[in-house]
Every structure is written in C-alpha cells, then in structure tokens.
C-alpha cells in the first residue's frame, strides 16, 4: 500500500495575492455591497466616519467597519441592509470602465475552454477596463505570467486601477504594455514560449503571424469578437493559414429564473448575445492540419433515407379522403369568393 504524502501546513503556504481582501471583517477602504429589503443594491467604499445617504435616512460606515462579511446593518431610519463583499461578477459590472467589459459569463468560458491553468504563460490583447485581466490573473496565480497589450494609455490606466483595487495592489504575475499586439508581442516574447493567447479586438485575423510565432505547439488561441462577420473572417483566415487546428465557435446566453413559492418561471429578461468565442490550437512546426471530411450533399445511407419519413419527424398521416375533402372545400371557397 502506498503511503500518503504528508499534508503541508497552511502556515507554510504563502498567501495568494488578494486573498486577504476576501476574508475577515470589513476594513476601511474596502468595497461593500449593500442590499435593501426590496433587493436594490448599492456598492460603497468604506471610510472612517463616512455615511451612505438615501431618501430613507443614512447608514454610518462605522456601523459596518469591523463587522463580519454577511452582516445585516440598520440605518438611522430603521431600514436594514445586507452587507456583503462584492463577488468578482459584481465588481466587474460596477467597476469604472473606459470600454465595454467582457461579461462574467464569457470570462468564465474563456478561462475553462482555453484551459487557463495555474502557472500558465498567457498573453492577451484588448485590455479595455481590465475585467478579463482580473479573471486571467486569478487563473494563472502568483506563479503564472500574464502579459497584456493595450493600444490606448487611458484604457491601460483604468485597467491597472481596477486590477490593483481588487487585488489590493500590483499583481506579481502581471505585465502591461502599450502598442499594437502584432508588433509588440514578437519583441517581448520568445518564439514558442506562450501557452495561451487571448484576443479581444476588432481584427484578430491581422495577428495570425504573431500568434503563430509566440504560441507553443499545442497552445490555445481564443478570440472574443462581437459580430458574425468578424467571426467568419477570423475562422477563414485561420483555416487558410495552415498552422492551426480547425476552429470551433460558440456563444453563451444566461437566463435567470424567478423563484417565489410555486411561481417558478424564467425571467423576462436575460443576458443574451454579448460576443462570439472562437478557439483553435497551434500545430507543431511543419505539420499540416487535418482536412475534415464532409458528407457530400445527398450522400446518405439507405437507413437514413428510410428514416426520413413524415411519421418519423412527428407528422400525422393524412388520408386520401381528407385530402379530397380539403380540395372540395378549397374549390368551393374559391367559387363562392369569385
């Protein structure tokens, strides 16, 4: 029987960046999400001596500071609020932004479908407000590496501020550079050393050579694009290039549900189309991609043809008698109208 390994004492494991901000009592400078009895939410930043004012009284920040996460606090007019630390999804949707953020549903798909693992070397372009950068940094961890490229200084500044807010300071795995991705990444990264490439930009097909240069064999390239025309052009460029696997594309939609007693039904509103995700992988050098065999039009086995009947697809058979009667009714109606 194999002996089990000795567990590592938690005291010997270094605290990951930002973890301390997610535990313990509320502190000065933290963001807190307040939810009232009607479900309305407000996010505040705690200040010593500060106050949250509404038309129904005010809530002193000092009442919250020092309380545990998940407390219920009362304002001067007797109205109660549930106080919680914002989740990442809450923070992303309420943080300062200069560009549209990658929605949490898409960020989660990117992390999983691109297989962003602890310690991975990742490059991204199109930082925007830093929403996706935060998720990528959480995934790669302190021992990983994320190099983000952004063309505009203002967006880079906003992203840096948001990243440092949620992690409580600079993240050791993050590097951000200004400039065009396709020009700068090949200068900054050695060929074949990047595990994952994540692009959120208007024309990812322009980056084919740069991605193929820095991405390691077997590495994943995932693109986030807004329109079907961008999706099509990127996919066709990848196919024509010959250094990547057949691309796969999808979108995800999130629909909430109303839960109140026996009134259980879908919500009337949903988070619908936000963007398409397209993923492919780098082939080894000198290897040609497999050409997928596609069934030619009309090339069906006999069992397929036998199964393709009105009855098999749920249609009710119509008798000849009913057809003759319908024809008489149709002729009679035409005659009467004429």
């Amino acid at each position: 029987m194999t002996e089990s390994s000795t567990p590592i004492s938690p005291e010997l494991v270094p605290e990951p960046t930002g973890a301390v901000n997610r535990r313990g009592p509320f502190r000065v400078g933290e963001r807190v999400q307040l939810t009232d009895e009607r479900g309305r939410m407000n996010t505040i930043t705690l200040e010593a001596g500060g106050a949250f004012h509404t038309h129904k009284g005010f809530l002193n920040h000092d009442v919250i500071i020092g309380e545990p996460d998940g407390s219920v606090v009362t304002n001067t007019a007797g109205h109660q609020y549930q106080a919680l630390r914002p989740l990442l999804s809450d923070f992303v949707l309420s943080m300062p932004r200069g560009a549209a953020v990658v929605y949490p549903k898409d960020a989660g798909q990117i992390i999983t479908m691109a297989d962003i693992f602890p310690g991975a070397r990742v490059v991204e372009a199109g930082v925007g407000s830093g929403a996706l950068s935060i998720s990528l940094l959480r995934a790669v961890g302190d021992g990983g590496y994320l190099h983000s490229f952004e063309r505009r200084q203002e967006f880079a500044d906003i992203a840096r501020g948001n990243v440092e807010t949620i992690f409580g300071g600079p993240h050791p795995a993050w590097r951000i550079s200004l400039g065009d991705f396709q020009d700068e990444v090949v200068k900054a990264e050695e060929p074949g050393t990047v595990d994952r490439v994540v692009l959120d930009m208007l024309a990812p097909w322009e980056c084919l050579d740069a991605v193929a240069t820095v991405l390691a064999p077997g590495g994943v390239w995932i693109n986030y694009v807004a329109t079907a025309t961008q999706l099509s052009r990127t996919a066709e460029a990848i196919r024509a290039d010959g250094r990547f696997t057949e691309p796969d594309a999808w979108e995800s939609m999130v629909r909430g549900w109303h839960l109140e007693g026996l009134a259980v039904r879908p919500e009337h509103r949903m988070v619908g189309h936000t963007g398409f995700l397209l993923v492919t992988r780098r082939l080894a050098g000198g290897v040609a991609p497999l050409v997928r065999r596609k069934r030619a039009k009309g090339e069906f086995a006999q069992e397929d043809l036998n199964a393709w009947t009105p009855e098999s697809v749920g249609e009710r058979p119509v008798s000849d008698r009913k057809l003759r009667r319908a024809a008489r009714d149709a002729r009679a109606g035409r005659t009467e109208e004429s």
Side-chain angles (χ1 to χ4, degrees), residues 8 40 79 104 151 176 218 226 233 235 257 272 309:
I8 300 174
R40 292 173 296 202
H79 294 282
R151 297 175 63 181
I176 184 168
R233 184 164 180 180
W257 277 69
T309 63

Side-chain angles (χ1 to χ4, degrees), residues 20-328:
V20 67
N21 300 328
R22 311 301 301 164
R23 304 190 184 109
F26 292 122
R27 308 172 187 88
V28 172
E30 278 196 287
R31 293 165 70 92
V32 175
Q33 189 178 79
L34 299 175
T35 306
D36 66 15
E37 293 107 325
R38 293 192 175 184
R40 292 173 296 202
M41 291 190 294
N42 288 275
T43 301
I44 64 172
T45 300
L46 294 177
E47 301 176 9
F52 168 63
H53 290 267
T54 72
H55 66 286
K56 294 183 178 181
F58 62 92
L59 176 66
N60 289 314
H61 290 194
D62 292 337
V63 173
I64 306 172
I65 296 170
E67 292 297 311
D69 200 351
S71 295
V72 174
V73 292
T74 306
N75 75 356
T76 55
H79 294 282
Q80 292 187 315
Y81 295 89
Q82 182 177 271
L84 290 163
R85 285 190 175 91
L87 300 177
L88 175 58
S89 57
D90 301 319
F91 177 81
V92 163
L93 296 177
S94 65
M95 70 186 189
R97 63 179 71 176
V101 300
V102 174
Y103 267 71
K105 72 180 182 67
D106 296 317
Q109 293 259 312
I110 289 169
I111 296 300
T112 300
M113 303 307 288
D115 187 30
I116 311 294
F117 56 91
R121 293 182 58 84
V122 182
V123 296
E124 69 159 337
V127 175
S129 301
L132 182 57
S133 302
I134 294 169
S135 293
L136 292 171
L137 286 169
R138 281 190 165 187
V140 302
D142 291 3
Y145 173 78
L146 174 64
H147 194 170
S148 304
F149 294 85
E150 175 54 57
R151 297 175 63 181
R152 299 180 60 176
Q153 180 70 59
E154 318 91 273
F155 288 169
D157 291 340
I158 294 169
R160 185 178 289 108
N162 287 327
V163 168
E164 293 185 3
T165 294
I166 199 164
F167 287 107
H171 196 287
W174 195 37
R175 177 184 176 190
I176 184 168
S177 299
L178 288 174
D180 289 325
F181 174 82
Q182 59 266 43
D183 298 328
E184 300 301 323
V185 72
V186 292
K187 301 175 186 176
E189 307 297 335
E190 293 295 324
T193 61
V194 172
D195 297 310
R196 305 290 184 259
V197 174
V198 184
L199 300 187
D200 173 13
M201 57 171 56
L202 290 174
W205 55 86
E206 296 177 352
C207 301
L208 270 165
D209 284 334
V211 173
T213 299
V214 301
L215 193 59
V220 179
W221 175 19
I222 191 163
N223 298 278
Y224 181 74
V225 294
T227 68
T229 51
Q230 289 172 292
L231 180 67
S232 175
R233 184 164 180 180
T234 305
E236 293 307 318
I238 289 171
R239 289 191 181 108
D241 182 79
R243 289 175 285 184
F244 299 91
T245 61
E246 176 71 12
D248 291 313
W250 71 93
E251 64 175 334
S252 64
M253 301 181 186
V254 175
R255 183 176 69 176
W257 277 69
H258 174 86
L259 300 172
E260 190 171 337
L262 296 179
V264 179
R265 56 169 174 74
E267 294 283 5
H268 298 303
R269 300 179 65 182
M270 67 180 293
V271 182
H273 174 77
T274 50
F276 297 105
L277 291 171
L278 183 143
V279 66
T280 184
R281 299 183 70 177
R282 179 70 162 95
L283 293 169
V287 174
L290 291 178
V291 179
R292 289 191 179 180
R293 294 183 179 180
K294 297 182 180 179
R295 179 176 281 178
K297 190 175 182 179
E299 185 181 331
F300 294 100
Q302 188 59 44
E303 57 265 31
D304 295 329
L305 297 176
N306 293 338
W308 195 261
T309 63
E311 292 82 1
S312 66
V313 296
E315 290 187 13
R316 290 184 177 182
V318 182
S319 66
D320 292 340
R321 181 179 178 183
K322 185 174 182 179
L323 288 174
R324 288 193 295 270
R325 185 173 63 192
R328 286 197 304 269

